[in-house]
Amino acid sequence: MAANEPHHSAPLGARGTARPATTHPQPGSNGLVLDGARVVLPTGVVDKGQVVVDGTKIAATAPENAQVIDVTGHWLLPGFVDIHNHGGGGASFSSGTAEEVLTGVHTHRAHGTTTLVASTVTDDMDVLARQAGLLSELAEQGEIAGIHFEGPFISPCRKGAHSEALLRDPDPAEVRKLVDAARGHASMVTLATELPGGIESVRLLAEHGVIAAVGHTDASYEQTLEAIDAGATVATHLFNAMPQIGHRAPGPIAALLEDERVTVELINDGTHLHPAALQLAFHHAGPDRVAFITDAMDAAGSGDGRYLLGPLEVEVTDGVARLVEGGSIAGSTLTLDRALRRAVTVDRLPIEHAVAALSANPARLLGRYDRVGSLEPGKDADLLVLDADFTLKGVMRQGAWVVVPELPSAALR
């Protein structure tokens, strides 16, 4: 929630290039064919390809009398999957009402994130448990894909934008309390696994099918390896809020990059990472072990101003969020369409690698790759239309347009 009146903006298409779907007809009952685009598939890019939508799913063949839309000159990508996101549109997932949380979800959805895990920040345990109950209801309704608890079980040495007064060691009983409060919808818990109870908590999470993520940590290389062996499988925003690589004390970054069991999160906003660090991660982890995230806070899709991140006040200036006290980076204002565009135009990543990091890899982590994460028959019709310059033009979720692409009338046939 904003500390004073934030700049609220209605969820719009990227750069205002598309109109809200509520003013446009949805795909008809006879299905839809998007034809002529460059389609990014798990096997590579198909030129002049097509994607068929039948109801809420992608189909192998077009139904009779299906509507055909010519999207020549555009890209078709699977919807983005964000596993680490604290809010947007002026709304916080940590403290917002159900209506406010939905504002944030819809803000990111309009920017291409069709599957979203709602992240909380450090707070009192009872507050987190109550919010987990609210978020679990939205997960049951299919609005979010799960809950990520980032804190309070993190290191005071690497607290970042978390309240030090509310931090605590990862007692397995307290970790279990949050998992239980999520009613089966806890997706991930970020831990400083070197703290007392850290390894036991990792094992507990693994036993309950919850991702244990190493983050906000001061762990050594050896301690990080121990956590991975215990079941940790994600690096929370790699490079940020952890010791830098040293030639005598390589620390957690080296351990997380080298182990094939670990997926590394990256915030590709141009603020959190130097391009060389991103290239280092892709080189060592490979394109199958990177997940782009937003780590977004309330200001994503909204504007500059004062906000709250948990109990801490944040100032957003020129799109960069920092704590009012201390100046630490406080999440981001990133949306994943911007992360994609930067990846292919600034970082010069192959689009297949960028799309894997935005869709397939996080979908696999969540155990949802059978439903989302790629444009394959039988999966949810979650897809994005981008122009030749990688600017988002259209968003479809489960067969319904969230943002309808503005195409020439001749494109409809």
Side-chain angles (χ1 to χ4, degrees):
M1 293 290 292
N4 51 25
E5 288 299 316
H7 301 286
H8 290 274
S9 62
L12 297 174
R15 302 176 185 266
T17 58
R19 293 169 288 182
T22 53
T23 62
H24 293 267
Q26 296 297 324
S29 58
N30 291 329
L32 176 70
V33 179
L34 297 169
D35 186 57
R38 303 191 72 187
V39 183
V40 182
L41 299 175
T43 53
V45 176
V46 176
D47 289 320
K48 297 181 181 179
Q50 66 175 211
V51 174
V52 177
V53 176
D54 189 0
T56 64
K57 301 292 183 180
I58 296 171
T61 57
E64 188 176 355
N65 299 321
Q67 180 189 29
V68 179
I69 300 180
D70 185 353
V71 285
T72 299
H74 291 73
W75 293 89
L76 290 181
L77 315 181
F80 302 140
V81 180
D82 194 354
I83 60 171
H84 187 157
N85 187 317
H86 296 279
S92 168
F93 299 152
S94 295
S95 58
T97 64
E99 182 179 2
E100 290 166 339
V101 171
L102 286 174
T103 293
V105 170
H106 293 159
T107 296
H108 286 281
R109 197 173 288 171
H111 286 273
T113 298
T114 51
T115 301
L116 181 147
V117 173
S119 302
T120 62
V121 295
T122 296
D123 211 322
D124 180 82
M125 285 290 291
D126 289 337
V127 171
L128 289 172
R130 285 197 301 272
Q131 191 67 7
L134 180 150
L135 293 172
S136 67
E137 293 179 8
L138 295 176
E140 289 159 8
Q141 296 167 18
E143 297 288 351
I144 63 173
I147 305 166
H148 164 218
F149 298 101
E150 188 182 22
F153 311 115
I154 61 176
S155 172
C157 301
R158 305 286 174 177
K159 63 182 183 297
H162 292 255
S163 171
E164 184 169 355
L166 295 171
L167 300 182
R168 57 184 65 212
D169 291 338
D171 181 335
E174 293 199 316
V175 173
R176 178 66 185 269
K177 176 182 177 180
L178 290 186
V179 171
D180 289 346
R183 304 204 304 257
H185 297 289
S187 295
M188 184 163 65
V189 178
T190 292
L191 307 163
T193 54
E194 76 278 8
L195 296 176
I199 297 300
E200 294 81 3
S201 293
V202 169
R203 294 195 181 103
L204 170 74
L205 292 168
E207 289 169 2
H208 285 80
V210 180
I211 298 166
V214 178
H216 288 275
T217 177
D218 206 38
S220 66
Y221 175 85
E222 292 76 16
Q223 288 171 323
T224 306
L225 290 180
E226 183 182 7
I228 297 168
D229 286 338
T233 57
V234 167
T236 293
H237 43 55
L238 187 75
F239 300 110
N240 297 113
M242 58 183 63
Q244 298 179 1
I245 297 175
H247 64 288
R248 292 193 180 94
I253 294 173
L256 294 163
L257 279 176
E258 72 182 13
D259 198 295
E260 294 184 355
R261 294 169 290 182
V262 176
T263 297
V264 298
E265 295 180 348
L266 299 177
I267 309 170
N268 193 27
D269 62 352
T271 298
H272 283 79
L273 294 177
H274 189 282
L278 180 141
Q279 293 291 346
L280 179 72
F282 269 88
H283 177 75
H284 287 279
D288 294 333
R289 291 204 293 118
V290 174
F292 283 145
I293 61 165
T294 59
D295 194 18
M297 46 82 70
D298 309 17
S302 187
D304 289 355
R306 287 282 180 104
Y307 297 83
L308 287 178
L309 185 60
L312 301 180
E313 196 170 14
V314 175
E315 180 77 37
V316 178
T317 304
D318 296 330
V320 178
R322 294 185 180 275
L323 291 182
V324 172
E325 292 189 17
S328 294
I329 295 176
S332 84
T333 62
L334 186 65
T335 52
L336 285 182
D337 58 326
R338 287 169 45 208
L340 170 81
R341 195 165 193 273
R342 180 178 177 84
V344 295
T345 63
V346 176
D347 302 310
R348 301 297 180 183
L349 290 179
I351 189 167
E352 302 96 318
H353 293 177
V355 169
L358 287 157
S359 301
N361 298 345
R364 287 193 185 95
L365 274 176
L366 296 177
R368 289 176 174 250
Y369 190 62
D370 60 330
R371 291 177 48 193
V372 299
S374 65
L375 298 178
E376 296 178 277
K379 293 193 175 185
D380 289 352
D382 292 359
L383 59 85
L384 311 177
V385 182
L386 290 84
D387 68 14
D389 295 323
F390 303 102
T391 299
L392 186 67
K393 294 292 185 178
V395 179
M396 177 180 285
R397 183 174 186 267
Q398 296 180 4
W401 289 114
V402 176
V403 176
V404 178
E406 291 186 351
L407 298 167
S409 58
L412 300 175
R413 65 177 192 264

